[in-house]
């Protein structure tokens, strides 16, 4: 039986639009929402690559990569196209969780339970991973729920009891960082362990007076200026600048973020000029007070968290325009594993 | 009973140089003259700019070394987060509302002292 795999990444454009709209509303409504892209690295790792590796272990030699609007639906014709091309079973992964899942076990469960659709879930709900059989690939309407089975569908869900975190939740994302730093999950920081539980990426520049308290990760090409304190349980991703005397503790600083001198970043997530407080759930704009900003990317420093870059970095080939019903709003990309 | 003459100053967020100068003046007067706790209320501020942060730090500096207590009322979670990020909250007590600030133990204690002082003062008259 032919099996194919699809990984659906929330569209950057949609996230960006959503981010901007919510940012404008932030002052008035004190919103709490993920404003970062799910492809943002976690301890230097790309969650997409971890899923690609799991799919490769299933014996598949390629997968389809797509982006979807935030409502997580796609044209039903895309599913029908898979069926027309002879796909009899489709593994669909929404890139919204990191889960150390044995996909072969999911496949086995799906076959044994004879579900048309099997959704993987843990004790907190669906993980965005599902298997669809041939019949479930035929759309019934114009739009088709691509990843999720309806709750009342009668299908028996696959109960996942392993390690999983929802990466679109800032709090769970930070928990994943902590677990990765302490070895509580399989994800390991991408860098050199310069001393016990302190990892530093290639080209990072730390002033002599910087205090690093493990467990901590400092990403590639990040600059930490004099008197700063990083850690414990901190992750400063690649190409950031942490100003003099600033403390980053139990927090994550996403790539290309600048933090002004003398700040206290504690239990927070920083993305460029925005900061999400994990305790209060409030999102603050750092720009007006000059406390933080997005560092402009230069071509020479551009990193691998765009679709093509991550694949090139992995040394894989990819082709465009082979996708079922590829549209401007929903592009498809076939990736060789 | 609260008999302390509270000084509550609304923070002139996003206002002109003259307004800021006015707050600075009011604050100095409050610190010098009354000796009462001063509450700087940021409730009307949607977001804080760098001039606002500078002015708040100046308030802290003015109160430093004096016995008069200065408290900030953040008024919103976002403001509170910014006060924490800039470490202002480690220098000055920060509260979510004026009501919360009035319940601050040190001020409550001063309230009790004042009540006690008033009651002691009243005793001879009442005897």
């Amino acid at each position: 039986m032919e099996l194919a795999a699809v990984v659906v990444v929330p569209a950057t454009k949609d996230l960006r639009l959503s981010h901007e709209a919510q940012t404008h509303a932030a002052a008035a409504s004190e919103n709490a929402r993920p404003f970062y892209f799910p492809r943002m690295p976690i301890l230097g790792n790309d969650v997409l690559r971890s899923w690609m590796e799991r799919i490769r272990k299933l014996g598949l030699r390629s997968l389809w990569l797509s982006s979807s609007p935030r409502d997580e639906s796609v044209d039903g014709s895309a599913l029908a196209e898979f069926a027309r091309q002879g796909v009899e079973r489709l593994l669909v992964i929404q890139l919204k969780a990191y889960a150390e899942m044995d996909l072969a076990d999911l496949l086995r469960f799906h076959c044994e339970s004879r579900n048309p659709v099997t959704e993987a879930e843990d004790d907190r709900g669906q993980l965005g991973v599902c298997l669809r059989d041939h019949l479930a690939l035929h759309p019934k309407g114009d739009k088709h729920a691509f990843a999720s089975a309806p709750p009342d569908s009668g299908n028996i869900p696959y109960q996942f009891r392993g390690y999983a975190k929802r990466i679109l939740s800032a709090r769970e994302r930070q928990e994943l960082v902590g677990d990765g730093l302490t070895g509580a999950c399989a994800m390991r920081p991408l860098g050199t362990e310069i001393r016990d539980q302190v990892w530093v990426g290639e080209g990072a520049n730390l002033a002599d007076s910087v205090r690093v308290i493990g467990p901590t990760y400092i990403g590639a090409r990040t600059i930490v200026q004099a008197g700063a304190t990083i850690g414990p349980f901190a992750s400063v991703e690649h190409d950031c600048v942490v100003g003099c005397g600033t403390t980053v503790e139990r927090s994550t600083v996403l790539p290309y973020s600048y933090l002004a001198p003398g700040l206290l970043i504690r239990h927070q997530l920083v993305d460029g000029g925005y900061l999400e407080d994990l305790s209060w759930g409030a999102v603050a704009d750092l720009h007006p007070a000059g406390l933080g900003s997005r560092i402009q990317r230069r071509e020479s420093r551009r990193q691998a968290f765009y679709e093509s870059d991550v694949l090139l970095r992995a040394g894989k080939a990819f082709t465009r325009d082979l996708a079922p019903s590829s549209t401007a709003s929903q592009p498809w990309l076939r990736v060789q594993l | 009973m609260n008999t302390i003459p509270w000084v509550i100053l609304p923070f002139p967020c996003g206002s002109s140089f003259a307004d800021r100068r006015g707050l600075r003046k009011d604050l100095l007067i409050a610190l010098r003259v009354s000796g009462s706790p001063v509450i700087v209320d940021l409730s009307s501020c949607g977001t804080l700019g760098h001039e606002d942060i500078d002015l708040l730090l100046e308030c802290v500096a003015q109160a430093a070394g004096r016995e008069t207590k200065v408290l900030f009322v953040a008024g919103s979670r976002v403001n509170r987060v910014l006060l924490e990020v800039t470490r202002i909250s480690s220098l000055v007590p920060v509260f979510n509302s004026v009501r919360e600030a009035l319940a601050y133990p040190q001020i409550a204690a001063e309230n009790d002292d004042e009540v006690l002082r008033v009651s002691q003062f009243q005793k001879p008259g009442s005897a």
Side-chain angles (χ1 to χ4, degrees), chain A residues 26-27 30 245-247 262-265 268 275 277 280 282-286 288-291, chain B residues 45-51 53 75-82 84-87 89-90 96:
Chain A
E30 300 188 354
T246 286
T247 296
L263 305 184
L264 174 62
I265 307 298
Q268 287 157 344
L275 177 147
D277 187 276
W280 295 86
V283 176
D285 185 355
L286 301 176
L291 304 176
Chain B
C45 297
T47 186
L48 298 174
H50 64 93
E51 288 179 332
I53 299 289
S76 71
R77 288 184 193 177
V78 170
N79 285 350
R80 180 139 200 170
V81 166
L82 289 172
E84 285 175 6
V85 166
T86 53
R87 300 184 198 251
S89 60
S90 65
N96 294 326

Side-chain angles (χ1 to χ4, degrees), chain A:
Chain A
M1 182 172 279
E2 184 168 347
L3 173 69
V6 171
V7 178
V8 183
V9 183
T12 319
K13 184 180 67 179
D14 296 313
L15 287 172
R16 196 174 292 146
L17 285 172
S18 168
H19 181 189
E20 284 167 5
Q22 288 171 336
T23 298
H24 290 310
S29 64
E30 300 188 354
N31 57 331
R33 77 288 181 267
F35 53 86
Y36 42 85
F37 187 43
R39 297 282 309 282
M40 285 289 187
I42 299 173
L43 301 173
N45 296 279
D46 185 356
V47 173
L48 172 62
R49 291 192 68 192
S50 81
W51 281 114
M52 286 166 69
E53 185 58 26
R54 288 175 204 287
I55 291 166
R56 195 184 61 77
K57 283 180 183 167
L58 267 182
L60 295 184
R61 288 189 290 179
S62 69
L63 62 80
W64 290 99
L65 200 59
S66 183
S67 61
S68 76
R70 299 213 86 190
D71 64 3
E72 298 177 5
S73 63
V74 294
D75 289 335
S77 58
L79 296 174
E81 184 63 26
F82 277 108
R84 269 197 295 276
Q85 290 180 5
V87 170
E88 293 178 66
R89 190 166 286 154
L90 188 65
L91 170 67
V92 183
I93 298 171
Q94 287 277 340
L95 197 63
K96 60 182 186 182
Y98 168 81
E100 294 172 0
M101 190 182 292
D102 179 0
L103 294 176
D105 191 54
L106 170 65
L107 188 58
R108 202 160 35 245
F109 176 87
H110 177 73
C111 295
E112 286 170 3
S113 60
R114 298 178 183 226
N115 287 333
V117 179
T118 300
E119 187 80 35
E121 61 180 42
D122 65 1
D123 53 0
R124 286 164 296 159
Q126 295 183 344
L127 289 162
V129 180
C130 90
L131 269 166
R132 288 182 170 274
D133 267 353
H134 182 78
L135 285 174
L137 295 177
H138 291 287
K140 289 171 184 163
D142 291 333
K143 288 276 185 179
H144 196 102
F146 199 34
S148 305
D152 58 348
S153 60
N155 294 318
I156 306 164
Y158 173 74
Q159 291 296 330
F160 178 63
R161 310 212 183 277
Y163 185 90
K165 293 288 177 191
R166 275 108 179 127
I167 57 172
L168 294 181
S169 152
R171 188 184 286 266
E172 288 199 38
R173 196 181 199 287
Q174 188 59 33
E175 288 170 4
L176 175 55
V177 165
D179 291 340
L181 288 169
T182 54
C185 66
M187 181 183 281
R188 307 304 292 154
L190 195 69
T192 305
E193 190 171 9
I194 57 168
R195 61 168 209 259
D196 189 33
Q197 293 191 322
V198 175
W199 286 265
V200 175
E202 197 177 334
N205 186 349
L206 280 64
D208 290 343
S209 57
V210 167
R211 195 165 167 234
V212 183
I213 305 167
T216 279
Y217 171 74
I218 298 170
R221 297 173 302 281
T222 280
I223 298 166
V224 186
Q225 295 176 343
T229 301
I230 311 294
F233 293 98
S235 170
V236 183
E237 297 290 348
H238 65 82
D239 294 291
C240 293
V241 175
V242 179
C244 296
T246 286
T247 296
V248 181
E249 181 186 319
R250 297 177 192 280
S251 300
T252 291
V253 182
L254 293 177
Y256 297 101
S257 298
Y258 163 74
L259 286 171
L263 305 184
L264 174 62
I265 307 298
R266 181 182 287 164
H267 209 228
Q268 287 157 344
L269 186 144
V270 177
D271 184 12
Y274 298 95
L275 177 147
E276 182 168 351
D277 187 276
L278 305 184
S279 305
W280 295 86
V283 176
D285 185 355
L286 301 176
H287 293 105
L291 304 176
S293 62
R294 170 78 64 208
I295 297 169
Q296 291 301 312
R297 302 167 192 221
R298 286 182 294 171
E299 283 305 313
S300 58
R301 300 181 83 195
R302 190 178 288 262
Q303 269 304 290
F305 290 91
Y306 292 111
E307 281 175 355
S308 57
D309 290 340
V310 73
L311 305 170
L312 289 171
R313 205 162 56 125
K316 310 297 181 190
F318 64 95
T319 53
R320 289 185 184 275
D321 303 327
L322 294 174
S325 64
S326 189
T327 63
S329 62
Q330 187 159 25
W332 289 82
L333 191 72
R334 186 168 192 173
V335 181
Q336 302 296 327
L337 296 169

